[in-house]
Amino acid sequence: MTATTKSVPVLLAACLLTTACGADVQRNAREGPRPVTVENCGKQITYPLPRNAVAYDMSATEKMFALGLADRMRGIVMPSTADPAVERSPYREDYRSVETLSTDVLGFETVVDAEADWVLAGWGSGFSEERGITPQRLDEVGISSYQFTESCFNYGENPVTVPPMEALYTDLRQIGRIFHVEDRAQQLVSDIQRRAEQLRSSRPEGDPARVFIYDSGTDQPFTSGNQASPNAIVSLAGGENIFSDLKQRWTTVGWEPVVKANPEVITVVDYGDQPVEEKIAFLKSHPPLASTPAVRNDRFHVLDYGEAVSGPRNIDAAEELAEYLRGIGR
């Protein structure tokens, strides 16, 4: 056998190897980027790139929109009570570009029927043992999920507590990683952080304005504790949530502690079937509140639902409230 003849098998083997390597590269290109692992509610979870993402309510949906991910979404689930807030949203064109799968609460059948492969929602408001849609049950049918970091406070046997703004930053960065738009996410986080620092540095001297966050309720008011976004919004604006010492997200309290706190401003969340004007009219006419500075001086500030839930517009809400407080000398 000549030297030339001996070289043929070697060359053939090299060609086969090269072809195989080429096939691997092409296959990897088709399959997309490698899965990423992030920590969510105290657990390390590995996520392949979602192809059919579903978001629940305004908090999840606007996190996606702010990251430029509307075109990556299979659809949204948006309760009809949020319709007015959606129409006021600066992301309304994105809302119109994505299919609304349901106008009810998040349901297991809804996401399965939509062939979702990833669901973004909070614990309690979206995922729920009672309603039969949990991360574990979704995982059993091959659907990944991510829970808002803020809602990890209520989740599982070992709840994770993260301050609301830090929870927002965590979500934006980690959703950015999952969808491989890390640079976009970091730019968004940096902008929010910069604006937050501007608010902190411009706080007036003296005691902060006492602010009562009113969501709803007549017999007992529903309000925000220190684990929900409105607490951070009020703080950044230079005020103090009268229930900032309450380690809860959203919760019911009595009217007596509200009156005792003597709020100077009442921030009213605007959402749902009841117009915000009706809420304010009730607060003005409610006898126990008549002696508070907020009612005596007609100091009511409206907080849009899309700004009140954990999301990129929390900073807008803080800036708006800060302007209102400075306008009344606080």
Side-chain angles (χ1 to χ4, degrees):
M1 184 180 291
T2 66
T4 303
T5 306
K6 288 181 180 178
S7 66
V8 170
V10 177
L11 289 171
L12 180 59
C15 288
L16 290 171
L17 285 171
T18 303
T19 303
C21 290
D24 286 342
V25 170
Q26 290 174 357
R27 183 167 58 251
N28 288 338
R30 287 197 305 270
E31 291 173 353
R34 291 181 180 277
V36 299
T37 301
V38 303
E39 183 175 315
N40 184 222
C41 289
K43 296 181 179 179
Q44 295 290 323
I45 304 176
T46 299
Y47 297 95
L49 176 67
R51 305 289 184 181
N52 290 295
V54 170
Y56 174 69
D57 204 39
M58 293 188 80
S59 178
T61 303
E62 296 200 354
K63 287 182 175 105
M64 295 289 286
F65 290 164
L67 291 170
L69 297 172
D71 62 349
R72 310 274 196 98
M73 298 175 69
R74 169 64 182 85
I76 62 176
V77 176
M78 188 65 59
S80 58
T81 52
D83 285 350
V86 167
E87 284 304 307
R88 294 189 296 264
S89 172
Y91 299 108
R92 55 187 170 275
E93 291 304 319
D94 286 319
Y95 278 107
R96 291 167 185 159
S97 74
V98 179
E99 182 181 354
T100 298
L101 303 171
S102 171
T103 57
D104 201 348
V105 292
L106 187 67
F108 182 79
E109 291 77 12
T110 300
V111 297
V112 170
D113 289 346
E115 299 183 349
D117 61 1
W118 188 80
V119 181
L120 175 61
W123 178 254
S125 59
F127 300 118
S128 166
E129 291 277 6
E130 292 76 11
R131 286 186 282 103
I133 180 164
T134 64
Q136 181 179 356
R137 189 177 180 201
L138 289 174
D139 191 54
E140 289 169 356
V141 294
I143 301 175
S144 299
S145 62
Y146 182 94
Q147 299 183 77
F148 310 153
T149 301
E150 182 186 285
S151 75
C152 296
F153 174 77
N154 297 108
Y155 177 70
E157 297 178 356
N158 299 298
V160 176
T161 301
V162 181
M165 290 305 291
E166 290 301 322
L168 172 62
Y169 302 149
T170 297
D171 288 344
L172 293 174
R173 288 190 182 109
Q174 296 199 148
I175 295 169
R177 284 196 64 207
I178 292 167
F179 283 86
H180 299 269
V181 291
E182 295 96 328
D183 290 347
R184 196 181 304 166
Q186 188 52 52
Q187 288 175 3
L188 178 58
V189 169
S190 295
D191 179 64
I192 297 172
Q193 290 176 322
R194 175 186 58 79
R195 292 162 66 187
E197 185 53 38
Q198 287 178 341
L199 286 171
R200 292 189 191 96
S201 63
S202 62
R203 284 176 180 166
E205 296 182 359
D207 294 334
R210 300 181 303 280
V211 179
F212 170 42
I213 301 158
Y214 177 73
D215 177 282
S216 58
T218 54
D219 293 338
Q220 291 183 305
F222 195 60
T223 189
S224 165
N226 60 25
Q227 295 300 306
S229 295
N231 188 76
I233 290 167
V234 171
S235 179
L236 283 173
E240 182 180 16
N241 174 12
I242 62 171
F243 292 109
S244 62
D245 60 346
L246 194 59
K247 196 171 182 181
Q248 296 286 341
R249 293 180 66 211
W250 292 90
T251 189
T252 300
V253 295
W255 286 112
E256 185 176 349
V258 175
V259 174
K260 185 177 180 180
N262 208 28
E264 300 170 69
V265 173
I266 300 178
T267 291
V268 185
V269 181
D270 186 4
Y271 83 101
D273 299 328
Q274 185 180 21
V276 71
E277 294 81 7
E278 289 185 10
K279 292 183 180 182
I280 293 173
F282 162 74
L283 293 167
K284 287 182 176 180
S285 65
H286 193 48
L289 295 176
S291 63
T292 63
V295 172
R296 288 202 319 266
N297 297 311
D298 195 27
R299 291 177 175 172
F300 295 90
H301 174 76
V302 176
L303 177 61
D304 189 83
Y305 177 69
E307 296 179 339
V309 294
S310 175
R313 290 199 283 146
N314 292 158
I315 192 65
D316 298 332
E319 290 170 342
E320 291 159 6
L321 180 56
E323 183 178 1
Y324 176 82
L325 293 178
R326 305 306 168 264
I328 62 171
R330 299 296 279 124

